[in-house]
Amino acid sequence: MFMVIIFPVISENNLIFNLFQEYVDLSVKKNVKIMKNIGTFTRLSPQGLLRQLTNCYESTCLQVFSNSVSWLIYIEQGKIIYATHSVEPFDRLERQMRRLSQEVPLVDNEVRTQMRLMFENEDHHLPNQSPEYEAISWLITEKHLLSTQAALLIQELVKEVIESFLLIKTGTYELAEPLNNLPKICKLDINNIVEQCQNQLQNWRYLGRYISSPYQRPYLLVSSKFYDKRLPPLPENLINWMKGFSLRHLAIIMNQDELQLTLSLYPYIVKGSIVLHEPDPPFDKLPKTCVNSLLSAENSTELVRGKLLTLDVAPSTNIHRETSIVAEDNLAVPPLVQDVAELPKTVDENINDDSEKVKINTKTTQKTYKIISVDDSPTILKEISRYLEDENFALVTINEPVKAVMSIIRHKPDLILLDLNMAGIDGYELCRIIRNNSMFKTVPIIFVTSNKGIIDKVKARFVGASGYLTKPFTRAELLKMIFMHLA
């Protein structure tokens, strides 16, 4: 028996006919649900979106928009290929590569710098294309990563992104066509990823009375409360770094799981010895892990007394145990980063020269890193000083580039911020001179410039620059760059 469907003659290029035929083709497929290509979260939660796409066995790019942040989730036949959001994607990639540095030993600081110069802040990417995913593919092509190592890296990136995605309360979504040229490095099971993310978020919610985001920044108040003998002592190196970096970034520096690190600080936060500042922009745009007080007084007391095992915090050796990955080979579980850079001694010198000014944070006696900023613009130097004034750095500003070399030799900085376009001597030549001195072969040199061209970035690499910061920049971007090269 045959069924004949007669369509009326349709003008305008048979548009309605084509749309109806697509509907018929989809409807006859077994166990397939039709999903709108555009919508809001009024009736469909983020988890519901993923569930529908899984059930539909879709191949698509899910684009979600909320609070000026956009999420991209690439799905092929019900599996996640990759996920990202628009808030500092290369910061996220940098952190995860540092965290897995033992597992990906060929991706050292030089390779990461080259990667960022090539792929970060480029304008040629398509709207639903992810530049950091392209960077991962490049690392595989250049043999800095094996496919299995890249799959492990992608898994951790996806989990971090999906965690924030599940926290969205209101927003809009669109389903876009998947990119045919997107390389398929691995496929992740959506249900397993969502389950792990929900468990992690539940752990954060237990801390919700005092902590609302892993991007909050802890500051230690030097007072009598700090010396409460009922509290375990904090490690000295943790105290030295606890000045401007978020809980998430501190965890990378301290080679700890971020929840375990937060739990170690939690009693001090409750007692008031540590205060939490709100996340720096643009991290403040991401949804909070806990908006209301979800922690009962009883659980709060248990945490303060040190009974922290009520939280199901997975040890670092088991962080990958439940995720299903389809890649070339089975992956060994990576340890976290083992080494933290030694902190230099406290700077106690003052220089009173019109062309050279030293600003030292004297609020505490903590060890400090010394940073030199060379720029012939007093405005830029003042802005950098303002950005770093509350941080644990000793900043030397130099506004006469011709005097910079001798000042750099005298101060022996841990990091140099260098303008590119200066009167008398440009940044390329100055960088070349500094690198020719054996004392500064490994000192990070970061160009701070308004030049955005790829040729400028390549030239910067040839003369030995470690990084490239484009003006105008935010405080978060400056701290990110400093953190990346000093941690």
Side-chain angles (χ1 to χ4, degrees), residues 379-433:
T379 302
I380 294 297
L381 291 177
K382 183 178 179 181
E383 191 74 356
I384 291 175
S385 298
R386 185 173 67 86
Y387 283 163
L388 300 182
E389 63 183 355
D390 292 327
E391 307 304 327
N392 195 32
F393 302 119
L395 178 65
V396 181
T397 59
I398 301 174
N399 61 13
E400 293 187 26
V402 292
K403 297 182 179 180
V405 175
M406 293 307 299
S407 297
I408 289 170
I409 293 174
R410 180 165 73 251
H411 285 291
K412 300 178 180 62
D414 301 291
L415 182 141
I416 300 170
L417 301 172
L418 189 58
D419 187 24
L420 190 56
N421 301 312
M422 297 182 291
I425 182 172
D426 66 17
Y428 295 124
E429 184 61 27
L430 188 53
C431 182
R432 187 181 293 108
I433 293 172

Short mmCIF file of all heavy atoms in Angstrom, two decimals, residues 379-433:
data_model
loop_
_atom_site.label_atom_id
_atom_site.label_comp_id
_atom_site.label_asym_id
_atom_site.label_seq_id
_atom_site.Cartn_x
_atom_site.Cartn_y
_atom_site.Cartn_z
N THR A 379 50.57 58.45 31.32
CA THR A 379 49.21 57.98 31.53
C THR A 379 49.17 56.46 31.67
O THR A 379 48.51 55.92 32.57
CB THR A 379 48.30 58.41 30.37
OG1 THR A 379 48.33 59.83 30.26
CG2 THR A 379 46.87 57.95 30.60
N ILE A 380 49.88 55.78 30.77
CA ILE A 380 49.91 54.31 30.83
C ILE A 380 50.61 53.84 32.12
O ILE A 380 50.14 52.91 32.79
CB ILE A 380 50.62 53.73 29.59
CG1 ILE A 380 49.80 54.02 28.33
CG2 ILE A 380 50.82 52.23 29.74
CD1 ILE A 380 48.43 53.37 28.31
N LEU A 381 51.71 54.49 32.46
CA LEU A 381 52.43 54.10 33.69
C LEU A 381 51.54 54.30 34.92
O LEU A 381 51.54 53.48 35.84
CB LEU A 381 53.71 54.91 33.82
CG LEU A 381 54.81 54.60 32.80
CD1 LEU A 381 56.01 55.53 33.00
CD2 LEU A 381 55.26 53.15 32.89
N LYS A 382 50.80 55.40 34.93
CA LYS A 382 49.90 55.66 36.05
C LYS A 382 48.80 54.61 36.12
O LYS A 382 48.42 54.16 37.20
CB LYS A 382 49.30 57.06 35.91
CG LYS A 382 48.41 57.46 37.07
CD LYS A 382 47.89 58.88 36.89
CE LYS A 382 46.98 59.29 38.05
NZ LYS A 382 46.46 60.67 37.87
N GLU A 383 48.28 54.20 34.95
CA GLU A 383 47.23 53.20 34.92
C GLU A 383 47.73 51.86 35.41
O GLU A 383 47.06 51.16 36.18
CB GLU A 383 46.69 53.07 33.48
CG GLU A 383 45.42 52.25 33.35
CD GLU A 383 44.19 53.00 33.85
OE1 GLU A 383 44.32 54.12 34.36
OE2 GLU A 383 43.09 52.43 33.73
N ILE A 384 48.92 51.46 34.98
CA ILE A 384 49.51 50.20 35.44
C ILE A 384 49.75 50.25 36.94
O ILE A 384 49.48 49.28 37.67
CB ILE A 384 50.81 49.90 34.67
CG1 ILE A 384 50.49 49.57 33.20
CG2 ILE A 384 51.57 48.74 35.31
CD1 ILE A 384 51.71 49.37 32.33
N SER A 385 50.24 51.38 37.44
CA SER A 385 50.46 51.54 38.89
C SER A 385 49.14 51.40 39.65
O SER A 385 49.09 50.76 40.71
CB SER A 385 51.09 52.90 39.19
OG SER A 385 52.35 53.03 38.58
N ARG A 386 48.08 51.97 39.11
CA ARG A 386 46.78 51.88 39.77
C ARG A 386 46.27 50.44 39.79
O ARG A 386 45.71 49.98 40.79
CB ARG A 386 45.78 52.78 39.06
CG ARG A 386 44.41 52.86 39.73
CD ARG A 386 43.54 53.90 39.06
NE ARG A 386 43.20 53.51 37.70
CZ ARG A 386 42.16 52.74 37.39
NH1 ARG A 386 41.40 52.25 38.37
NH2 ARG A 386 41.89 52.44 36.15
N TYR A 387 46.46 49.72 38.69
CA TYR A 387 46.01 48.34 38.61
C TYR A 387 46.75 47.44 39.60
O TYR A 387 46.18 46.46 40.09
CB TYR A 387 46.21 47.80 37.20
CG TYR A 387 45.18 48.27 36.19
CD1 TYR A 387 45.42 48.16 34.82
CD2 TYR A 387 43.98 48.82 36.59
CE1 TYR A 387 44.48 48.59 33.89
CE2 TYR A 387 43.04 49.25 35.67
CZ TYR A 387 43.29 49.14 34.33
OH TYR A 387 42.36 49.55 33.41
N LEU A 388 48.01 47.75 39.87
CA LEU A 388 48.84 46.86 40.70
C LEU A 388 49.03 47.37 42.12
O LEU A 388 49.73 46.72 42.91
CB LEU A 388 50.22 46.67 40.04
CG LEU A 388 50.22 46.04 38.64
CD1 LEU A 388 51.66 45.86 38.15
CD2 LEU A 388 49.49 44.72 38.61
N GLU A 389 48.40 48.49 42.49
CA GLU A 389 48.70 49.11 43.77
C GLU A 389 48.27 48.25 44.96
O GLU A 389 48.87 48.33 46.03
CB GLU A 389 48.04 50.49 43.86
CG GLU A 389 46.52 50.47 43.81
CD GLU A 389 45.94 51.88 43.82
OE1 GLU A 389 46.74 52.83 43.96
OE2 GLU A 389 44.71 52.03 43.69
N ASP A 390 47.24 47.43 44.80
CA ASP A 390 46.78 46.58 45.90
C ASP A 390 47.29 45.15 45.79
O ASP A 390 46.83 44.27 46.51
CB ASP A 390 45.25 46.57 45.95
CG ASP A 390 44.68 47.92 46.35
OD1 ASP A 390 45.34 48.61 47.14
OD2 ASP A 390 43.59 48.27 45.86
N GLU A 391 48.20 44.92 44.88
CA GLU A 391 48.71 43.58 44.65
C GLU A 391 50.08 43.39 45.31
O GLU A 391 50.73 44.34 45.72
CB GLU A 391 48.80 43.29 43.15
CG GLU A 391 47.52 43.55 42.39
CD GLU A 391 46.33 42.78 42.93
OE1 GLU A 391 46.54 41.65 43.42
OE2 GLU A 391 45.22 43.30 42.89
N ASN A 392 50.49 42.15 45.38
CA ASN A 392 51.73 41.81 46.07
C ASN A 392 52.93 41.93 45.12
O ASN A 392 53.67 40.97 44.91
CB ASN A 392 51.63 40.39 46.63
CG ASN A 392 52.71 40.11 47.66
OD1 ASN A 392 53.14 41.01 48.37
ND2 ASN A 392 53.14 38.88 47.73
N PHE A 393 53.11 43.12 44.52
CA PHE A 393 54.21 43.37 43.59
C PHE A 393 54.91 44.67 43.96
O PHE A 393 54.27 45.60 44.48
CB PHE A 393 53.70 43.48 42.15
CG PHE A 393 52.95 42.29 41.64
CD1 PHE A 393 51.62 42.39 41.24
CD2 PHE A 393 53.55 41.04 41.59
CE1 PHE A 393 50.91 41.30 40.80
CE2 PHE A 393 52.85 39.94 41.14
CZ PHE A 393 51.54 40.07 40.74
N ALA A 394 56.20 44.73 43.71
CA ALA A 394 56.94 45.99 43.77
C ALA A 394 57.10 46.48 42.34
O ALA A 394 57.72 45.82 41.52
CB ALA A 394 58.31 45.77 44.41
N LEU A 395 56.50 47.63 42.03
CA LEU A 395 56.48 48.13 40.67
C LEU A 395 57.48 49.27 40.50
O LEU A 395 57.46 50.24 41.24
CB LEU A 395 55.07 48.62 40.30
CG LEU A 395 54.92 49.22 38.90
CD1 LEU A 395 55.16 48.15 37.84
CD2 LEU A 395 53.53 49.85 38.74
N VAL A 396 58.34 49.14 39.48
CA VAL A 396 59.27 50.19 39.09
C VAL A 396 58.81 50.74 37.75
O VAL A 396 58.71 49.98 36.78
CB VAL A 396 60.71 49.65 38.97
CG1 VAL A 396 61.67 50.76 38.58
CG2 VAL A 396 61.15 48.98 40.26
N THR A 397 58.51 52.03 37.68
CA THR A 397 58.07 52.63 36.43
C THR A 397 59.20 53.49 35.85
O THR A 397 59.84 54.27 36.57
CB THR A 397 56.81 53.50 36.64
OG1 THR A 397 57.09 54.53 37.59
CG2 THR A 397 55.66 52.63 37.13
N ILE A 398 59.43 53.35 34.57
CA ILE A 398 60.51 54.07 33.87
C ILE A 398 59.89 54.76 32.66
O ILE A 398 59.33 54.11 31.78
CB ILE A 398 61.62 53.10 33.42
CG1 ILE A 398 62.21 52.36 34.62
CG2 ILE A 398 62.71 53.84 32.65
CD1 ILE A 398 63.21 51.28 34.25
N ASN A 399 60.00 56.10 32.63
CA ASN A 399 59.39 56.85 31.52
C ASN A 399 60.40 57.38 30.51
O ASN A 399 60.03 58.11 29.60
CB ASN A 399 58.53 58.00 32.05
CG ASN A 399 59.33 59.01 32.86
OD1 ASN A 399 60.56 59.01 32.85
ND2 ASN A 399 58.63 59.87 33.57
N GLU A 400 61.69 57.04 30.69
CA GLU A 400 62.71 57.41 29.71
C GLU A 400 63.37 56.13 29.21
O GLU A 400 64.24 55.56 29.88
CB GLU A 400 63.75 58.35 30.32
CG GLU A 400 63.19 59.73 30.67
CD GLU A 400 64.27 60.69 31.11
OE1 GLU A 400 65.45 60.48 30.70
OE2 GLU A 400 63.96 61.62 31.86
N PRO A 401 62.97 55.65 28.04
CA PRO A 401 63.44 54.35 27.55
C PRO A 401 64.96 54.24 27.43
O PRO A 401 65.52 53.15 27.62
CB PRO A 401 62.77 54.22 26.18
CG PRO A 401 61.60 55.14 26.24
CD PRO A 401 61.99 56.27 27.13
N VAL A 402 65.65 55.35 27.12
CA VAL A 402 67.10 55.26 26.94
C VAL A 402 67.81 54.93 28.24
O VAL A 402 68.96 54.46 28.24
CB VAL A 402 67.64 56.59 26.36
CG1 VAL A 402 67.15 56.79 24.93
CG2 VAL A 402 67.24 57.78 27.23
N LYS A 403 67.15 55.17 29.37
CA LYS A 403 67.75 54.84 30.66
C LYS A 403 67.31 53.47 31.18
O LYS A 403 67.72 53.06 32.26
CB LYS A 403 67.36 55.90 31.71
CG LYS A 403 67.87 57.30 31.42
CD LYS A 403 67.48 58.25 32.54
CE LYS A 403 68.00 59.65 32.30
NZ LYS A 403 67.63 60.57 33.39
N ALA A 404 66.48 52.81 30.40
CA ALA A 404 65.84 51.60 30.89
C ALA A 404 66.82 50.46 31.14
O ALA A 404 66.70 49.75 32.13
CB ALA A 404 64.75 51.15 29.91
N VAL A 405 67.81 50.30 30.24
CA VAL A 405 68.71 49.15 30.35
C VAL A 405 69.47 49.16 31.67
O VAL A 405 69.52 48.15 32.39
CB VAL A 405 69.68 49.10 29.15
CG1 VAL A 405 70.68 47.97 29.34
CG2 VAL A 405 68.91 48.89 27.85
N MET A 406 70.04 50.30 32.01
CA MET A 406 70.81 50.38 33.25
C MET A 406 69.91 50.18 34.47
O MET A 406 70.31 49.54 35.45
CB MET A 406 71.52 51.73 33.34
CG MET A 406 72.61 51.93 32.30
SD MET A 406 73.83 50.57 32.27
CE MET A 406 74.49 50.69 33.93
N SER A 407 68.70 50.72 34.40
CA SER A 407 67.77 50.54 35.52
C SER A 407 67.37 49.08 35.67
O SER A 407 67.26 48.57 36.79
CB SER A 407 66.52 51.40 35.29
OG SER A 407 66.85 52.77 35.25
N ILE A 408 67.16 48.40 34.55
CA ILE A 408 66.80 46.98 34.60
C ILE A 408 67.93 46.16 35.19
O ILE A 408 67.70 45.26 36.01
CB ILE A 408 66.42 46.49 33.18
CG1 ILE A 408 65.08 47.10 32.77
CG2 ILE A 408 66.34 44.97 33.13
CD1 ILE A 408 64.72 46.88 31.31
N ILE A 409 69.16 46.47 34.81
CA ILE A 409 70.31 45.74 35.36
C ILE A 409 70.42 45.98 36.87
O ILE A 409 70.72 45.07 37.64
CB ILE A 409 71.60 46.18 34.64
CG1 ILE A 409 71.57 45.71 33.18
CG2 ILE A 409 72.83 45.63 35.36
CD1 ILE A 409 72.74 46.21 32.37
N ARG A 410 70.15 47.23 37.29
CA ARG A 410 70.27 47.55 38.70
C ARG A 410 69.18 46.87 39.54
O ARG A 410 69.43 46.37 40.63
CB ARG A 410 70.22 49.07 38.90
CG ARG A 410 70.34 49.50 40.36
CD ARG A 410 70.64 50.98 40.49
NE ARG A 410 69.47 51.80 40.15
CZ ARG A 410 69.37 52.54 39.05
NH1 ARG A 410 70.34 52.52 38.15
NH2 ARG A 410 68.31 53.27 38.82
N HIS A 411 67.97 46.84 39.03
CA HIS A 411 66.84 46.32 39.81
C HIS A 411 66.69 44.81 39.72
O HIS A 411 66.10 44.21 40.62
CB HIS A 411 65.54 46.98 39.34
CG HIS A 411 65.38 48.39 39.79
ND1 HIS A 411 65.17 48.74 41.09
CD2 HIS A 411 65.43 49.55 39.09
CE1 HIS A 411 65.06 50.05 41.20
NE2 HIS A 411 65.23 50.57 40.00
N LYS A 412 67.19 44.20 38.64
CA LYS A 412 67.03 42.75 38.45
C LYS A 412 65.57 42.32 38.64
O LYS A 412 65.23 41.57 39.56
CB LYS A 412 67.94 41.97 39.39
CG LYS A 412 69.42 42.28 39.22
CD LYS A 412 70.26 41.51 40.22
CE LYS A 412 71.73 41.82 40.03
NZ LYS A 412 72.05 43.25 40.25
N PRO A 413 64.68 42.75 37.77
CA PRO A 413 63.25 42.46 37.94
C PRO A 413 62.91 41.00 37.67
O PRO A 413 63.67 40.27 37.02
CB PRO A 413 62.59 43.37 36.90
CG PRO A 413 63.62 43.48 35.82
CD PRO A 413 64.94 43.51 36.52
N ASP A 414 61.76 40.60 38.15
CA ASP A 414 61.23 39.26 37.88
C ASP A 414 60.38 39.24 36.62
O ASP A 414 60.13 38.17 36.06
CB ASP A 414 60.40 38.77 39.07
CG ASP A 414 61.21 38.72 40.34
OD1 ASP A 414 62.11 37.87 40.42
OD2 ASP A 414 60.95 39.54 41.25
N LEU A 415 59.92 40.42 36.18
CA LEU A 415 59.12 40.52 34.98
C LEU A 415 59.20 41.95 34.45
O LEU A 415 59.30 42.91 35.23
CB LEU A 415 57.65 40.14 35.26
CG LEU A 415 56.66 40.15 34.08
CD1 LEU A 415 55.70 38.96 34.18
CD2 LEU A 415 55.87 41.45 34.04
N ILE A 416 59.17 42.11 33.12
CA ILE A 416 59.30 43.42 32.49
C ILE A 416 58.10 43.66 31.58
O ILE A 416 57.77 42.82 30.73
CB ILE A 416 60.61 43.52 31.66
CG1 ILE A 416 61.83 43.29 32.55
CG2 ILE A 416 60.70 44.87 30.95
CD1 ILE A 416 63.13 43.12 31.78
N LEU A 417 57.45 44.81 31.78
CA LEU A 417 56.40 45.29 30.88
C LEU A 417 57.01 46.35 29.98
O LEU A 417 57.55 47.34 30.48
CB LEU A 417 55.22 45.88 31.67
CG LEU A 417 54.53 44.94 32.66
CD1 LEU A 417 53.52 45.71 33.50
CD2 LEU A 417 53.84 43.79 31.93
N LEU A 418 56.92 46.18 28.68
CA LEU A 418 57.69 47.00 27.75
C LEU A 418 56.80 47.56 26.65
O LEU A 418 56.14 46.80 25.93
CB LEU A 418 58.81 46.14 27.14
CG LEU A 418 59.88 46.83 26.30
CD1 LEU A 418 60.60 47.90 27.11
CD2 LEU A 418 60.88 45.80 25.80
N ASP A 419 56.76 48.89 26.54
CA ASP A 419 56.02 49.53 25.45
C ASP A 419 56.76 49.27 24.15
O ASP A 419 57.98 49.11 24.10
CB ASP A 419 55.91 51.03 25.72
CG ASP A 419 55.01 51.72 24.70
OD1 ASP A 419 54.15 51.04 24.11
OD2 ASP A 419 55.18 52.93 24.49
N LEU A 420 56.00 49.23 23.06
CA LEU A 420 56.59 48.93 21.75
C LEU A 420 57.03 50.20 21.02
O LEU A 420 58.14 50.29 20.50
CB LEU A 420 55.59 48.15 20.90
CG LEU A 420 56.12 47.56 19.59
CD1 LEU A 420 57.31 46.65 19.84
CD2 LEU A 420 55.02 46.79 18.88
N ASN A 421 56.17 51.21 21.00
CA ASN A 421 56.44 52.44 20.25
C ASN A 421 56.86 53.55 21.22
O ASN A 421 56.02 54.14 21.89
CB ASN A 421 55.20 52.87 19.46
CG ASN A 421 54.76 51.81 18.48
OD1 ASN A 421 55.57 51.26 17.74
ND2 ASN A 421 53.47 51.50 18.47
N MET A 422 58.17 53.77 21.30
CA MET A 422 58.69 54.79 22.21
C MET A 422 59.70 55.67 21.48
O MET A 422 60.35 55.22 20.52
CB MET A 422 59.38 54.14 23.43
CG MET A 422 58.45 53.31 24.29
SD MET A 422 59.27 52.60 25.74
CE MET A 422 60.35 51.39 24.94
N ALA A 423 59.81 56.91 21.92
CA ALA A 423 60.77 57.84 21.32
C ALA A 423 62.19 57.47 21.73
O ALA A 423 62.44 57.09 22.87
CB ALA A 423 60.45 59.27 21.75
N GLY A 424 63.12 57.58 20.80
CA GLY A 424 64.53 57.30 21.10
C GLY A 424 64.93 55.88 20.82
O GLY A 424 65.94 55.62 20.16
N ILE A 425 64.15 54.90 21.30
CA ILE A 425 64.44 53.49 21.06
C ILE A 425 63.11 52.73 21.13
O ILE A 425 62.30 52.96 22.02
CB ILE A 425 65.45 52.95 22.11
CG1 ILE A 425 65.78 51.47 21.81
CG2 ILE A 425 64.92 53.11 23.52
CD1 ILE A 425 66.91 50.94 22.69
N ASP A 426 62.88 51.87 20.15
CA ASP A 426 61.60 51.15 20.18
C ASP A 426 61.72 49.88 21.02
O ASP A 426 62.80 49.47 21.43
CB ASP A 426 61.10 50.84 18.77
CG ASP A 426 61.99 49.85 18.01
OD1 ASP A 426 62.79 49.16 18.66
OD2 ASP A 426 61.87 49.78 16.77
N GLY A 427 60.57 49.28 21.29
CA GLY A 427 60.53 48.12 22.16
C GLY A 427 61.26 46.92 21.61
O GLY A 427 61.85 46.14 22.37
N TYR A 428 61.25 46.75 20.27
CA TYR A 428 61.96 45.62 19.67
C TYR A 428 63.45 45.67 19.99
O TYR A 428 64.05 44.68 20.41
CB TYR A 428 61.77 45.62 18.15
CG TYR A 428 60.35 45.39 17.70
CD1 TYR A 428 59.72 46.31 16.86
CD2 TYR A 428 59.65 44.26 18.09
CE1 TYR A 428 58.41 46.10 16.44
CE2 TYR A 428 58.35 44.05 17.67
CZ TYR A 428 57.74 44.97 16.84
OH TYR A 428 56.45 44.76 16.41
N GLU A 429 64.04 46.84 19.77
CA GLU A 429 65.48 47.00 20.01
C GLU A 429 65.81 46.85 21.48
O GLU A 429 66.80 46.21 21.85
CB GLU A 429 65.95 48.35 19.48
CG GLU A 429 67.46 48.58 19.58
CD GLU A 429 68.26 47.57 18.78
OE1 GLU A 429 67.73 47.04 17.78
OE2 GLU A 429 69.42 47.31 19.17
N LEU A 430 64.97 47.44 22.33
CA LEU A 430 65.21 47.35 23.77
C LEU A 430 65.10 45.91 24.25
O LEU A 430 65.91 45.44 25.06
CB LEU A 430 64.22 48.24 24.51
CG LEU A 430 64.44 48.43 26.01
CD1 LEU A 430 65.86 48.89 26.29
CD2 LEU A 430 63.45 49.44 26.57
N CYS A 431 64.13 45.19 23.73
CA CYS A 431 63.98 43.77 24.10
C CYS A 431 65.19 42.97 23.66
O CYS A 431 65.69 42.11 24.40
CB CYS A 431 62.70 43.22 23.48
SG CYS A 431 62.35 41.49 23.89
N ARG A 432 65.70 43.25 22.45
CA ARG A 432 66.87 42.54 21.94
C ARG A 432 68.09 42.79 22.83
O ARG A 432 68.86 41.87 23.14
CB ARG A 432 67.16 42.97 20.50
CG ARG A 432 68.26 42.15 19.84
CD ARG A 432 68.51 42.62 18.42
NE ARG A 432 67.37 42.35 17.53
CZ ARG A 432 66.55 43.27 17.05
NH1 ARG A 432 66.73 44.55 17.39
NH2 ARG A 432 65.57 42.95 16.25
N ILE A 433 68.25 44.03 23.26
CA ILE A 433 69.40 44.37 24.13
C ILE A 433 69.28 43.65 25.47
O ILE A 433 70.26 43.10 25.99
CB ILE A 433 69.45 45.90 24.34
CG1 ILE A 433 69.79 46.59 23.02
CG2 ILE A 433 70.49 46.26 25.40
CD1 ILE A 433 69.68 48.11 23.09
#
